[in-house]
Amino acid sequence: NTVVLKPAEQSSVIGVQLAEILYEAGVPREVLQLVPGIGEEVGPVLVGHADVGMVAFTGSREVGLAINRRAAEVVEGDRGVRRVIAEMGGKNAIIVDSDADLDVAVSGVVSSGFAYAGQKCSATSLLLLEAEVFDDAKFKRNLRDAVESLAVGSAWELHTKMNPLIRPASGDLARAREVVEPGEQWLVPPLPADNPHLASPAVKWNVQPSAHAHLTELFGPMLSVMRYEKLDDAIDLIHQTGFGLTSGIETLDEREQEHWQR
């Protein structure tokens, strides 16, 4: 099975290095071909080419849906219907109920939400807290302290816990970091920075259902915290996002675990 590797333009150098490693390992160049370039220019040509049988894509929902539409078009010379495997982002949630080990919950949420500066499709973006946990001043303080302790800086510095963004915050992420909607407040506000690639971690508290920070994928160091009364309420809030990539629950109650899994 031959492969055309088209890295995102922001990671073209890494794509070249990956291809060279595979060539050195013995993969023939005619089997793996590297095609770097601007996605808007190269992508449609590759997706609509008669010799392409399958497209595997990771990226935004908007681009993923465009790829699905493009791949469905039959062109002259097609030998079959192109298949698409599209991983189109996520709005990943962790639920924390009152039976959870709250110290473990804080550690897991901070690690998942802010590792890789939140720029991974599986990063925790929503934190849903049962009312008792939401109102727990100690939990709130511990979450804030843990996030504020993250050192932001160069990947070359060993003390860095949150590396630079691949590109400065823009679009939905920038809006979420600049606009506070009714009911919301900052638990950890975004800090101004001289280097736009060094975005500090931010936590919005008391995000309301259907708010921008609830429903929108925010690809970066941004965590939205919501309150719920019953587990089914939390599950409904997750389903409302329209995404389904990763999710988690922090609870020691096996019945809650089983219900959430179903």
Side-chain angles (χ1 to χ4, degrees):
N1 293 312
T2 57
V3 173
V4 176
L5 173 61
K6 161 61 181 76
E9 54 264 31
Q10 296 89 352
S11 56
S12 294
V13 173
I14 296 297
V16 171
Q17 292 178 328
L18 174 61
E20 289 297 340
I21 289 170
L22 291 168
Y23 295 148
E24 290 175 14
V27 176
R29 289 178 180 268
E30 60 271 22
V31 171
L32 171 66
Q33 300 187 46
L34 177 71
V35 181
I38 304 299
E40 291 84 352
E41 298 173 359
V42 178
V45 177
L46 290 175
V47 172
H49 199 283
D51 288 336
V52 171
M54 176 185 287
V55 180
F57 167 78
T58 298
S60 71
R61 180 163 56 182
E62 178 185 10
V63 176
L65 294 176
I67 287 174
N68 268 284
R69 290 190 292 268
R70 174 75 170 169
E73 297 174 2
V74 177
V75 299
E76 185 177 352
D78 272 344
R79 290 174 290 179
V81 178
R82 278 179 291 281
R83 290 179 288 168
V84 176
I85 301 171
E87 189 276 275
M88 298 182 285
K91 188 66 179 177
N92 311 295
I94 290 183
I95 297 170
V96 180
D97 84 349
S98 56
D99 289 321
D101 182 322
L102 297 184
D103 290 333
V104 171
V106 167
S107 176
V109 167
V110 172
S111 175
S112 177
F114 299 108
Y116 303 97
Q119 291 197 318
K120 57 176 182 173
C121 295
S122 61
T124 297
S125 181
L126 277 180
L127 175 59
L128 296 129
L129 304 178
E130 190 174 2
E132 185 178 328
V133 181
F134 187 92
D135 297 333
D136 186 329
K138 180 182 177 183
F139 176 87
K140 187 175 182 180
R141 182 176 64 251
N142 288 348
L143 176 62
R144 182 192 63 218
D145 291 348
V147 174
E148 290 180 340
S149 73
L150 297 173
V152 182
S154 167
W156 300 112
E157 301 293 335
L158 292 179
H159 70 276
T160 294
K161 295 297 183 183
M162 216 178 76
N163 47 287
L165 301 182
I166 194 167
R167 57 178 178 268
S170 62
D172 288 325
L173 177 60
R175 174 185 166 184
R177 293 172 68 86
E178 295 166 2
V179 178
V180 177
E181 296 190 55
E184 302 172 348
Q185 62 248 12
W186 290 113
L187 179 64
V188 180
L191 301 176
D194 295 332
N195 184 341
H197 286 270
L198 296 179
S200 68
V203 180
K204 261 185 182 175
W205 191 263
N206 200 33
V207 170
Q208 300 298 301
S210 300
H212 178 261
H214 170 210
L215 300 180
T216 310
E217 181 184 24
L218 304 173
F219 198 65
M222 181 82 201
L223 180 66
S224 304
V225 183
M226 304 182 73
R227 185 180 193 271
Y228 74 90
E229 296 289 340
K230 298 179 181 179
L231 180 56
D232 281 332
D233 298 334
I235 293 171
D236 286 342
L237 289 169
I238 296 170
H239 286 320
Q240 288 172 24
T241 68
F243 290 94
L245 183 59
T246 70
S247 191
I249 187 168
E250 292 279 0
T251 180
L252 301 177
D253 186 330
E254 293 184 358
R255 294 168 301 175
E256 296 278 73
Q257 294 173 20
E258 292 170 0
H259 181 67
W260 172 82
Q261 286 173 341
R262 288 195 300 272

